[in-house]
Amino acid sequence: MAAEAPLVSIRGLELGYPVRSGLFKRVVGSVRAVAGVDLDIRRGETLGLVGESGCGKTSLGKAMLQLERPTGGEVLLDCGGARRDLCRMRQGELREARRRMQIVFQDPYSSLNPAFTIYGSLEDAMRRYGLATRAERRRRLGELLEAVNMRPEHMDRYPSEFSGGQRQRIGIARALSADPELVVCDEAVSALDVSIRAQVLNLLLKLKAERGLTYLFISHDLSVVEYVSDRIAVMYLGRIVELAGTEELYSNPLHPYTRALLSAIPIADPDRARRRIVLEGDVPSPVDPPPGCPFHPRCPDRVEECSRVPPALRTHMIKGEAHAAACHLAKE
Amino acid sequence: MEGETLVRVRNLRTYLYANGRCNKAVNDVSFDVRAGRTLCVVGESGCGKSVTAASIMQLLPPLARIESGEIAYRSAEGELRLDRLPRNGRAMRSLRGRDLGMIFQDPMTALNPVYSIGFQIRESLRYHTRLGAPARRAKAIELLADMGIPLPAQRSGEYPHQLSGGMRQRAMIAMAMACEPKVLIADEPTTALDVTVQAQVFDLMERLKRERGTAIMLITHDMGVVAELADEVVVMYMGNVVESGTVREVLKSPAHPYTRALLGSIPLLGRGRSQRLEPIRGSTPDPFDRPPGCQFAPRCPRQEPACDAGLPPEVEVSAAHRVRCLFAKEGRDGR
């Protein structure tokens, strides 16, 4: 496992948005939506990325795919042994690299063009990348729709004729139409009703097994992430605060934020009533993050050091498995 | 007086009309909301849970009508039939806010952006109580402090856009609690919030129930929330109550195939990848083109021709557990 190079290596990634203010809209500061993230995505794994709204998880996904140009750091993609930095690629090269990395968006209503038939939306990627002849495209898209449990004749209908769950499956088919290696699922099931959510989750797992896909699964719902992921990264204020294998993270969370997050999730089992760790206050504004550890103003375990020194993401070996946490108090 | 029934809903039918068609959004719904207890109404979008709440508060859209059934509220002066009161008559207006408080899902649309938080809290105090202006001002600040909002005096002068999502939601709860209502109806109060903020709001609601004996009716789609907060549960599907009872009965030995399927399709934290999710096949039917009998029949694994003959009657599986399914008794396997 360790010998194989990761599919994507993110190093020191930064994404800042300027904050403008006043009459002339001068830049008065910047929001570090992604503040120096290091992350490896291994080939064939599902990496879960969790955090609360505003923590930068979607920004990280977009910066990785260059949908937003990062303001610093590098995103190294494994190109047949050589590692190429996406941030320094020219438009043409980037287009080719993007074929291998696709995204499924959160909102199945706004992510399909209502004026295009499903065929129109889906064949775009195939046509642009010259993946198949015209006649073949219809056949391949038919197969693709069958793979996401829809019927080939749905191709000539419009998005308005489908329910939310069906549209999300169409969104997945579109992401797969360019035959990618990595699929970023950005809150792909969050907008769906409970009874539909399980259908889409199981579909994603099935497609991964069949096609050997790699997923970056972004979600705020820890129970869903736990169900699909091999490893999980927890984000807070633009930084990764904890990264570990799924079982290890849930059984032995090292960061107090992860512990609070896990304890706050209601579980549908009346026998497992637990003590909630109720955090004080709200997530601080990323425009003006606190000094030291970004979590310290809300942390129940804080010590004096936390308000001065920002903790680094240190890797501990626990039961032969890497478990990284950015906390001064984290111990094996 | 814990356990006293404050709101009694019996055989409620509320229909919505649109384009000459009728959506039987709430069809024969009965339950009790009791003092010092939390009743959770759980279901997916379109099941009629919000319309039920709007029927109690008489906040239905113009093209909606309570067709039959009764909603009775036990006020200090005796029992009142809410469904018979004029929607915006004096009696209903004096009950809303004073006896019946409501928390809405989205605080950004429920709060008025051009008035300060404090003004909006004081509004109901001005209308419903005899407090003078300085007393109202002090009370509003006290309420915000109670809700755990830091710097309440300063915050009460601020506008909704200056507050974070969690603070807005707490300000709205402060508004709903201003006149200490006996019944609090919360329609998905935490759906727009993060889990850590959700935990704060739940703590607050538990405290209200415990310290003031408030009767809470909580509408949610999240079975986890039900397990944590509810004393009693009502499960709704397509306008019907399909199952109701105490939390333990309903979540531990669900008798309706829909409840069972719903519980089987959500991942449980801590079980990881060892669990198997069983999705419910198909999707919810078109409300204007409903199945003839049991609404869940087309998606039900246990479906038989008898299910389409008409809405199954409610049967009692135990004293505190009622189910609307033909096979309720045989289907219990304790899972």
Side-chain angles (χ1 to χ4, degrees):
Chain A
M1 193 80 173
E4 201 184 345
L7 181 60
V8 177
S9 292
I10 296 170
R11 289 288 169 268
L13 194 68
E14 294 267 350
L15 177 63
Y17 297 103
V19 178
R20 293 168 192 278
S21 177
L23 180 59
F24 299 104
K25 299 280 174 228
R26 276 189 309 144
V27 176
V28 293
S30 83
V31 187
R32 287 171 84 201
V34 179
V37 164
D38 294 328
L39 195 63
D40 284 346
I41 303 175
R42 300 173 188 157
R43 208 175 275 279
E45 79 170 345
T46 299
L47 178 63
L49 185 60
V50 296
E52 297 180 281
S53 48
C55 74
K57 51 192 192 299
T58 295
S59 295
L60 175 59
K62 286 190 172 166
M64 187 183 89
L65 297 178
Q66 312 292 314
L67 293 175
E68 303 267 5
R69 280 296 201 168
T71 42
E74 45 192 17
V75 178
L76 302 168
L77 177 69
D78 184 44
C79 302
R83 307 222 299 169
R84 302 282 316 277
D85 184 2
L86 293 178
C87 307
R88 277 170 196 75
M89 280 185 178
R90 264 186 301 252
Q91 210 57 47
E93 295 174 294
L94 189 58
R95 221 181 63 133
E96 187 44 42
R98 273 199 182 128
R99 187 194 62 73
R100 303 171 52 197
M101 308 160 75
Q102 294 287 321
I103 182 164
V104 179
F105 292 101
Q106 168 169 11
D107 183 359
Y109 291 89
S110 62
S111 59
L112 288 171
N113 190 330
F116 285 6
T117 60
I118 301 306
Y119 175 77
S121 284
L122 260 56
E123 63 112 38
D124 207 37
M126 281 191 170
R127 189 161 42 82
R128 275 167 200 274
Y129 290 115
L131 292 181
T133 62
R134 201 182 166 78
E136 211 176 316
R137 286 205 290 269
R138 278 195 79 84
R139 190 182 56 76
R140 294 243 313 246
L141 286 178
E143 286 170 8
L144 209 53
L145 284 174
E146 278 180 337
V148 297
N149 306 332
M150 304 214 17
R151 289 201 301 275
E153 57 267 29
H154 286 153
M155 214 184 296
D156 298 313
R157 299 206 193 155
Y158 288 90
S160 59
E161 297 172 54
F162 296 103
S163 68
Q166 288 174 315
R167 286 184 205 206
Q168 199 56 294
R169 295 207 295 263
I170 293 167
I172 293 169
R174 177 175 60 184
L176 296 180
S177 65
D179 205 10
E181 292 159 54
L182 172 72
V183 177
V184 176
C185 303
D186 186 3
E187 301 273 14
V189 298
S190 306
L192 304 178
D193 252 326
V194 190
S195 73
I196 308 298
R197 193 177 296 175
Q199 293 174 357
V200 175
L201 282 176
N202 283 356
L203 172 69
L204 286 170
L205 291 179
K206 183 191 93 173
L207 291 170
K208 182 186 160 178
E210 285 172 4
R211 295 166 184 249
L213 297 171
T214 303
Y215 286 143
L216 176 65
F217 194 92
I218 302 174
S219 177
H220 69 281
D221 186 333
L222 279 104
S223 4
V224 167
V225 169
E226 186 196 20
Y227 178 65
V228 296
S229 305
D230 300 298
R231 289 193 306 152
I232 294 176
V234 183
M235 263 186 107
Y236 188 77
L237 273 186
R239 294 163 186 82
I240 288 183
V241 296
E242 187 154 7
L243 171 67
T246 302
E247 252 171 64
E248 168 67 17
L249 185 90
Y250 282 81
S251 58
N252 180 28
L254 291 180
H255 199 284
Y257 176 63
T258 313
R259 281 201 289 273
L261 209 54
L262 286 173
S263 85
I265 295 163
I267 296 180
D269 184 347
D271 285 344
R272 285 175 54 192
R274 300 143 309 147
R275 210 174 59 85
R276 282 195 290 270
I277 303 172
V278 176
L279 295 174
E280 304 157 26
D282 292 307
V283 181
S285 157
V287 183
D288 182 23
C293 171
F295 184 60
H296 87 264
R298 303 174 77 196
C299 183
D301 308 329
R302 63 176 169 256
V303 293
E304 188 271 332
E305 189 189 10
C306 300
S307 57
R308 286 186 292 110
V309 190
L313 188 67
R314 271 181 307 158
T315 304
H316 309 269
M317 291 307 287
I318 296 171
K319 292 181 227 140
E321 219 190 313
H323 186 153
C327 178
H328 292 305
L329 304 170
K331 282 188 286 287
E332 256 111 285
Chain B
M1 277 198 266
E2 200 199 300
E4 186 193 10
T5 300
L6 292 180
V7 175
R8 192 179 70 231
V9 176
R10 285 292 173 273
N11 309 99
L12 178 70
R13 289 175 208 273
T14 305
Y15 296 172
L16 308 177
Y17 297 88
N19 301 330
R21 297 192 296 175
C22 167
N23 174 8
K24 299 178 177 175
V26 175
N27 199 357
D28 198 5
V29 164
S30 306
F31 57 81
D32 294 324
V33 187
R34 294 191 280 183
R37 302 288 193 95
T38 301
L39 172 81
C40 275
V41 179
V42 61
E44 297 178 276
S45 44
C47 74
K49 53 195 195 299
S50 293
V51 178
T52 306
S55 303
I56 297 175
M57 294 296 281
Q58 292 260 39
L59 289 174
L60 290 164
L63 286 178
R65 192 165 62 196
I66 297 176
E67 302 285 334
S68 65
E70 64 169 81
I71 304 170
Y73 168 64
R74 179 176 298 190
S75 70
E77 296 89 42
E79 198 168 89
L80 279 173
R81 283 286 295 272
L82 297 183
D83 53 314
R84 292 200 180 144
L85 296 176
R87 275 186 192 184
N88 285 316
R90 181 176 289 274
M92 199 62 226
R93 290 204 317 268
S94 80
L95 283 176
R96 266 187 227 126
R98 191 189 63 188
D99 288 46
L100 310 168
M102 175 120 188
I103 306 172
F104 297 91
Q105 175 170 357
D106 180 4
M108 204 55 217
T109 50
L111 292 170
N112 191 331
V114 300
Y115 291 108
S116 70
I117 296 296
F119 179 90
Q120 296 185 56
I121 296 172
R122 291 195 295 272
E123 209 176 5
S124 71
L125 292 172
R126 198 172 63 228
Y127 190 82
H128 293 298
T129 68
R130 287 159 175 270
L131 296 177
R136 290 201 296 264
R137 198 168 291 274
K139 175 83 180 168
I141 292 170
E142 184 196 315
L143 279 162
L144 287 173
D146 267 359
M147 300 300 138
I149 291 184
L151 305 174
Q154 182 196 327
R155 290 293 183 190
S156 94
E158 290 184 353
Y159 292 83
H161 75 270
Q162 291 170 293
L163 273 57
S164 70
M167 264 199 271
R168 272 182 225 142
Q169 193 58 279
R170 272 175 279 173
M172 199 157 68
I173 299 178
M175 249 167 88
M177 295 312 297
C179 301
E180 306 199 1
K182 298 202 187 70
V183 181
L184 183 65
I185 299 178
D187 187 357
E188 306 250 10
T190 56
T191 307
L193 303 178
D194 282 318
V195 279
T196 57
V197 182
Q198 169 173 289
Q200 294 170 347
V201 172
F202 285 166
D203 248 35
L204 207 64
M205 291 179 55
E206 290 274 88
R207 226 180 65 212
L208 292 173
K209 183 175 90 170
R210 215 172 43 236
E211 291 171 7
R212 300 190 189 172
T214 310
I216 297 177
M217 173 175 160
L218 177 70
I219 294 171
T220 180
H221 64 270
D222 187 340
M223 279 292 186
V225 172
V226 174
E228 297 237 335
L229 291 183
D231 297 300
E232 277 108 33
V233 195
V234 166
V235 184
M236 286 185 75
Y237 184 75
M238 294 301 288
N240 301 131
V241 172
V242 294
E243 184 158 7
S244 61
T246 59
V247 203
R248 183 156 289 277
E249 283 274 337
V250 174
L251 295 195
K252 278 297 179 182
S253 39
H256 197 284
Y258 175 65
T259 319
R260 252 182 272 151
L262 206 56
L263 287 167
S265 68
I266 47 175
L268 277 186
L269 192 72
R271 296 254 178 95
R273 312 204 305 157
S274 57
Q275 58 193 326
R276 272 186 50 129
L277 297 193
E278 291 290 345
I280 306 177
R281 62 179 174 171
S283 52
T284 41
D286 178 2
F288 295 108
D289 182 20
R290 288 167 181 264
C294 172
Q295 302 289 301
F296 188 59
R299 306 175 74 187
C300 183
R302 186 72 183 79
Q303 189 226 2
E304 279 185 20
C307 298
D308 287 329
L311 198 60
E314 227 177 12
V315 286
E316 210 164 78
V317 255
S318 74
H321 193 175
R322 300 170 71 82
V323 184
R324 204 181 270 280
C325 176
L326 294 176
F327 313 107
K329 302 241 176 185
E330 60 178 83
R332 273 164 70 93
D333 47 14
R335 255 191 311 153

